[in-house]
Amino acid sequence: MIKLKNIHKKFGKNEVIKGIDLEIKQGEVISVIGPSGTGKSTLLRCINCLEFADDGQIEVDDLSINLNKITKHEKLLLRRNTAMVFQGFYLFNNKTVLNNITEGLIVVKKMKKAEAEIKALKILEQVGLTDKKDEYPSSLSGGQQQRVAIGRALALEPKILLFDEPTSALDPELVNEVLVLIKDLANNHNTMLIVTHEINFARNVSDRVCFMDKGVIVEQGPAKEIIDNPKNERTKQFLNNIRYREDGQ
Amino acid sequence: MITLNFDLEFVLKLVPIMLKYSTVTLRLSILAIIIGVTLAFIIALVVYAKVPVLCRLFKIYISFFRGTPLMAQLFCFYFGVLPLMKDVVLKISSFQAALIILSLASSAYMAESLRAAISSIHKGQMEAAQSIGMTYIQAMYRIILPQAIKVAIPTLFSSFINIVKDTSLVFAIGVKEMMATAQLEGASGYRYLEAYVCVLFVYWGITSILGYVQKHLEIKLGKSVGESN
């Protein structure tokens, strides 16, 4: 179980996250939706310690970390218990597809090379890219790169998978293969926190949806309830805007 | 009237002598490259990571060695600084003095190439490495540097070639290498043209080998690193 308590983050004078509380149960899939610039990505990056929150607390199972006086060791612990899938994929360009996945297993999990490769091959099968194992990222399509990136995160068996707009950088026709994979992971009860602009996907895949605006969670609840019948005015407005765009009206 | 008077026989006689002294040039170049590159890596990493105090110092170091003539550095060190310290440190030969100055000066240039190359790698690479739990040093060593070195190869090899050429200055502090020999031999029979043509070709030969190595390294790294996004 992951618990976020009162997370705050400022960039200079600009307060991006203004006190976020969120509890994510094991196996739960939560989508975070909301307008751009409301701190959704920053929230994920704070959980993964790519940004350092100014205040707040994160609990991952027995591990409880105070973010305002986090130590180097705690940062590493937090990163090793969480894994991030980026909008821009960020596969290691100097490593083959297989080695992108074994890298973390060997360096971070201290697995033997042979053992790591067996595990990586299993993961590649799961993301459907076994035949690409010896290719370099540059020769893969965006969708394939993102599937490898998901595999890289998955291989480390994190307590939670964090997705930062995983399909936003993809060509429209490549979006689906990534969404299908994420849906698979959801069905397999991986704990996931997904920042996305794919509202229908969020509705179908997640157990819970959080609507974020201006650094706070404005409304949250069961996915279908929030997206079909939002109570909050701001949520209604946001969802309406998106539907207008999708309907092409 | 100018008559073409080129004594080929004299050149042929000079070649073995030049090749003998080219070992001094080569030894000086190779050692300066190794020491210079090592220093450059340390400086580039410290400056890139903005390590307090050290970063400041290295920036001044880079500015000084890039901003002053090599010849002046050699003279100042060998004729100025070393005599002052002769009671403090072991006696340093002119070869060692030349090696120290060449290494320091070239490291300043190479540190800048390396720092620029590291900066050119997308910050997502570091974030991805850290997000899976690698430490900064692991990420730097395993993910960033291999990609940065590929970017830096052309400018690093330019520096290597410059080091080889710069060794021709060290005869000024009394290192007996190719230039010194050419001057001596040229003077012995007023055959300066032959002597210096011979020197030029030996330098050209050495730097051509470096160019060849660079080309092959680029092809090899290009394959293993893949095109970066």
Side-chain angles (χ1 to χ4, degrees), chain A residues 53-121:
Chain A
D54 301 313
D55 202 3
Q57 202 179 359
I58 297 185
E59 287 176 20
V60 183
D61 292 343
D62 307 334
L63 187 71
S64 172
I65 291 169
N66 245 333
L67 294 176
N68 59 357
K69 46 179 180 186
I70 189 166
T71 64
K72 244 183 167 174
H73 178 68
E74 284 175 328
K75 281 176 200 167
L76 215 53
L77 266 180
L78 206 46
R79 282 181 183 147
R80 287 178 180 182
N81 278 295
T82 58
M84 184 93 153
V85 174
F86 298 89
Q87 184 177 351
F89 331 131
Y90 303 150
L91 290 181
F92 305 136
N93 290 322
N94 57 327
K95 305 268 172 194
T96 61
V97 165
L98 186 75
N99 291 339
N100 259 277
I101 298 176
T102 56
E103 189 69 11
L105 295 174
I106 293 169
V107 178
V108 178
K109 296 257 169 182
K110 311 283 176 212
M111 261 190 199
K112 294 228 161 54
K113 192 169 174 250
E115 203 184 338
E117 278 177 3
I118 292 170
K119 169 135 199 190
L121 283 172

Side-chain angles (χ1 to χ4, degrees), chain B residues 24-217:
Chain B
V24 180
T25 300
L26 278 175
R27 212 164 49 146
L28 189 56
S29 306
I30 292 170
L31 289 173
I33 287 172
I34 294 170
I35 299 171
V37 160
T38 312
L39 285 174
F41 265 102
I42 296 168
I43 297 168
L45 288 171
V46 166
V47 173
Y48 179 77
K50 299 197 175 74
V51 177
V53 188
L54 273 184
C55 171
R56 262 258 165 82
L57 287 177
F58 280 143
K59 277 187 173 164
I60 296 169
Y61 171 98
I62 290 171
S63 163
F64 174 78
F65 279 104
R66 291 205 314 171
T68 53
L70 184 64
M71 189 71 107
Q73 293 166 13
L74 280 170
F75 279 16
C76 178
F77 183 62
Y78 191 68
F79 297 121
V81 177
L82 281 184
L84 280 182
M85 307 198 304
K86 68 175 185 292
D87 299 328
V88 191
V89 286
L90 294 167
K91 197 162 162 36
I92 289 180
S93 71
S94 57
F95 180 89
Q96 288 161 334
L99 177 59
I100 290 171
I101 291 300
L102 270 176
S103 304
L104 294 182
S106 62
S107 74
Y109 288 93
M110 293 191 282
E112 276 299 274
S113 323
L114 278 171
R115 188 190 56 79
I118 295 171
S119 305
S120 79
I121 304 303
H122 196 287
K123 74 177 181 19
Q125 295 285 314
M126 176 56 92
E127 290 193 345
Q130 292 194 313
S131 82
I132 62 169
M134 283 194 210
T135 61
Y136 179 87
I137 291 167
Q138 286 170 334
M140 194 41 103
Y141 179 71
R142 302 185 61 98
I143 307 299
I144 310 298
L145 280 182
Q147 297 182 55
I149 286 169
K150 182 193 161 197
V151 176
I153 287 277
T155 44
L156 281 183
F157 269 82
S158 292
S159 293
F160 295 171
I161 286 172
N162 278 331
I163 291 173
V164 173
K165 294 191 297 182
D166 285 345
T167 59
S168 66
L169 293 177
V170 304
F171 80 99
I173 58 166
V175 181
K176 193 159 190 240
E177 42 70 76
M178 281 200 296
M179 275 304 278
T181 317
Q183 203 175 28
L184 214 69
E185 294 294 329
S188 73
Y190 288 106
R191 290 280 170 202
Y192 286 109
L193 178 66
E194 287 85 346
Y196 288 123
V197 164
C198 195
V199 165
L200 286 177
F201 274 93
V202 177
Y203 275 113
W204 196 10
I206 297 173
T207 53
S208 297
I209 293 170
L210 276 174
Y212 180 82
V213 173
Q214 175 190 349
K215 201 178 94 193
H216 281 261
L217 215 55

Side-chain angles (χ1 to χ4, degrees), chain A residues 12-27:
Chain A
K13 280 188 180 157
N14 181 18
E15 194 170 18
V16 193
I17 298 182
K18 302 169 187 165
I20 292 223
D21 297 280
L22 188 64
E23 206 177 301
I24 308 158
K25 293 189 204 70
Q26 173 132 27

Side-chain angles (χ1 to χ4, degrees), chain A residues 43-60:
Chain A
L43 178 66
L44 287 196
R45 293 168 62 83
C46 285
I47 300 174
N48 197 221
C49 277
L50 290 174
E51 304 286 354
F52 304 119
D54 301 313
D55 202 3
Q57 202 179 359
I58 297 185
E59 287 176 20
V60 183

